[in-house]
Structure formats: C-alpha cells, structure tokens
Amino acid sequence: MSHKFSLAHLTVLGWSPAEMAYNASLLGYDYIGIRNINMGVKGERDFSIPLGSGRYKSLKEALEETGMKIHDIELARVLDGGDVSSYEPAFEAGASLGARAVLSSIWTDKKDYYIEQFAKLCDLAAQYGMTVNLEYVTWAGVWNLKGVMEVLNAVKRTNARVMADTLHTWRSRVSLGELRSVPKKLFDMAHICDAPAEIPDRGDKDALIYTGRDARYYVGEGGIDVAGMVKCMREDTVLSIELPHLARAAEYGYTEHARRCLATAKEYLRKNGAD
C-alpha cells in the first residue's frame, strides 16, 4: 500500500498527544497529527507542549518507545488582529519532535492581510524545516480550493502546500477536475472522512460545524467520493483520518473508534482502487 495513514487529533480529542502515540502505534497507524497550538475552543483541552515541559517529555518518551512519528501540528490559523509569529514556540517544539508539516487555515476576508500573514507563516515554518498545508474550510474566510490556490500563487513559497479535507472538498463543491488541476507536488497530506451526500447551505454555519466537529462518518459510509478525491493526489500522499464522532466515541471508546476509522478507510480504498 502506497499511502501512509495518520491519526488526526480531532478524532480522539480526549487523548493527550502522548496517549495518541501509544494507542496509534498499537492500532497500526503510521503517524499522528497533534493540536499543540491552543485554539481556545470551549471544552477543548490545552494540548500545547512547550519545550522542556512535562507534556513535552512525556510525548518524546512515547515517540521513542513506540517508534511512532508526528506528521503534522495544528492549527496555525490566520486571524484578524493576530500575528503568526506567536506560533513559533509550537513550531520549535513540534519540529524538535520530528513533525514535518504545519496545518493552517484562514479566518478573515481581508485578502492583502491574509496573504501577507500566510507568507510570513511559511517563512517561519521554513526555519524549522516544515511545510505549511493550507486547508480550505467550508465556513472559513478562504473556503474553497480556488481561494487556496490564489494564496499559494501569490506567496510563491516553496514550502506552501494544499490541504484537502474530503468533507470540506465535498461541501465546498470542489470538483474532481479542480483537484486534478492542482500540481500533484502540492499534495503532501489530506484529511479523509465521509458524510451524508446532502450539502447544507453555506450560510447554515451551525449545520456545517456540527458535522465537521461532532458527526463525521467512517469512510465508505456516506455519500462523498473519497476514492475519487484520493486518486487526484500523489500515491504517497499521507492520509490523515480526521473523523470526530462524539456519539460513537462515547459508545465504543476512543480506542475502538480509532480502530474502526483505520480499518474502514483501508478496506474502502482497497475496494475502490485508491490504496
């Protein structure tokens, strides 16, 4: 199988990064993606891991014991009134633990401002040998592939990448033709999950957020052409399973939920010739 699989933190938000390393290793994942940039979301724990802290030492020990690797850290958002230089401690800690990539998204409509900030973000990440994977999120400022490509073409940074999430790709009505038009070198990773085929109106932010954070489907269970999207990318694109489902996590427990996430994704992609 060409694709490697990563466990995204949003799938198992009750686990610390160290717990993710131990459990993902046992379940057969190749990588983990951690949320070591505190977003201040209500009810979400602070998983920041300052260099030299107890959390940092625990995660480093877990990685060394299991051989698990961190693929990406998140989420370096471009926000009104923010300064991306504030992410440097998280970049430094993540890179020192072997992280290869930073996830970013843009949450403002001020184009000149967000292009300037994203360029600065790429330059900061480059100092730590990391790529910046810009995700289009259906309810964000930059919400579709066209918007992401405009940013990448404007900043012209060699470490800038496209991050396609299958849920947002479907719900932002990005076609397979659009995905195929993106140079394959720009796809280092993707988030995969499934969802109902019906697309809520973009103005119905509550419905969009509910599925995105609370009720994504196992791959192959819904109406998204996940295989078609994956086939538009490089064969070595890392597939990060971002599949939060609060009810199932409560029913099965995080370990079984994470196991089912990986097993169903592998089986679906194999059956559909996208493995």
Side-chain angles (χ1 to χ4, degrees):
M1 183 177 290
S2 299
H3 292 290
K4 301 287 188 182
F5 290 88
S6 181
L7 176 62
H9 208 160
L10 194 61
T11 308
V12 288
L13 262 184
W15 283 347
S16 69
E19 289 175 301
M20 287 182 70
Y22 285 116
N23 291 313
S25 174
L26 292 171
L27 293 170
Y29 285 87
D30 302 290
Y31 301 104
I32 56 174
I34 64 171
R35 292 169 80 87
N36 72 320
I37 297 172
N38 184 24
M39 292 173 56
V41 175
K42 185 178 179 181
E44 189 170 312
R45 291 161 60 190
D46 178 2
F47 292 111
S48 56
I49 46 169
L51 272 173
S53 66
R55 291 177 187 170
Y56 179 91
K57 292 173 183 175
S58 294
L59 178 53
K60 190 172 191 301
E61 184 177 312
L63 296 171
E64 290 172 350
E65 286 187 11
T66 62
M68 180 54 60
K69 293 178 171 57
I70 298 173
H71 181 270
D72 52 272
I73 63 173
E74 61 171 327
L75 178 62
R77 295 175 295 172
V78 176
L79 301 161
D80 279 325
D83 186 345
V84 296
S85 62
S86 66
Y87 300 132
E88 184 164 9
F91 288 11
E92 183 180 14
S96 74
L97 291 168
R100 300 161 46 176
V102 176
L103 262 60
S104 180
S105 50
I106 294 172
W107 298 82
T108 173
D109 296 322
K110 299 173 183 174
K111 192 169 185 178
D112 289 345
Y113 168 76
Y114 68 63
I115 287 175
E116 175 194 11
Q117 285 287 299
F118 187 74
K120 187 176 178 180
L121 187 70
C122 290
D123 293 342
L124 184 64
Q127 295 178 32
Y128 295 96
M130 294 191 290
T131 59
V132 180
N133 295 255
L134 182 56
E135 180 178 12
Y136 45 96
V137 178
T138 315
W139 61 89
V142 173
W143 61 278
N144 60 15
L145 180 58
K146 178 176 179 288
V148 164
M149 292 307 297
E150 285 178 354
V151 175
L152 265 59
N153 289 331
V155 301
K156 296 180 172 59
R157 295 307 196 266
T158 58
N159 65 330
R161 300 288 187 272
V162 174
M163 217 299 289
D165 180 303
T166 56
L167 177 69
H168 298 310
T169 298
W170 181 257
R171 291 190 162 186
S172 295
R173 302 182 188 275
V174 175
S175 69
L176 295 184
E178 279 186 85
L179 278 178
R180 280 192 290 268
S181 73
V182 175
K184 288 186 184 295
K185 66 181 181 180
L186 295 180
F187 290 116
D188 282 353
M189 65 173 296
H191 279 162
I192 62 170
C193 68
D194 213 333
E198 297 78 21
I199 300 175
D201 186 273
R202 189 166 173 259
D204 190 354
K205 189 177 288 189
D206 288 343
L208 294 169
I209 292 173
Y210 170 72
T211 304
R213 286 191 61 94
D214 298 347
R216 301 191 190 201
Y217 287 4
Y218 295 130
V219 176
E221 187 180 25
I224 297 177
D225 184 7
V226 177
M229 295 176 189
V230 170
K231 288 175 184 177
C232 294
M233 304 172 194
R234 291 201 319 270
E235 291 184 357
D236 62 346
T237 300
V238 172
L239 301 180
S240 175
I241 302 180
E242 184 171 81
L243 209 158
H245 196 298
L246 300 190
R248 284 174 170 171
E251 179 183 359
Y252 301 140
Y254 279 127
T255 304
E256 175 61 10
H257 175 54
R259 186 198 68 80
R260 289 176 181 230
C261 286
L262 183 59
T264 52
K266 285 184 173 181
E267 179 65 10
Y268 165 87
L269 292 171
R270 184 189 64 78
K271 284 183 176 179
N272 289 276
D275 58 350

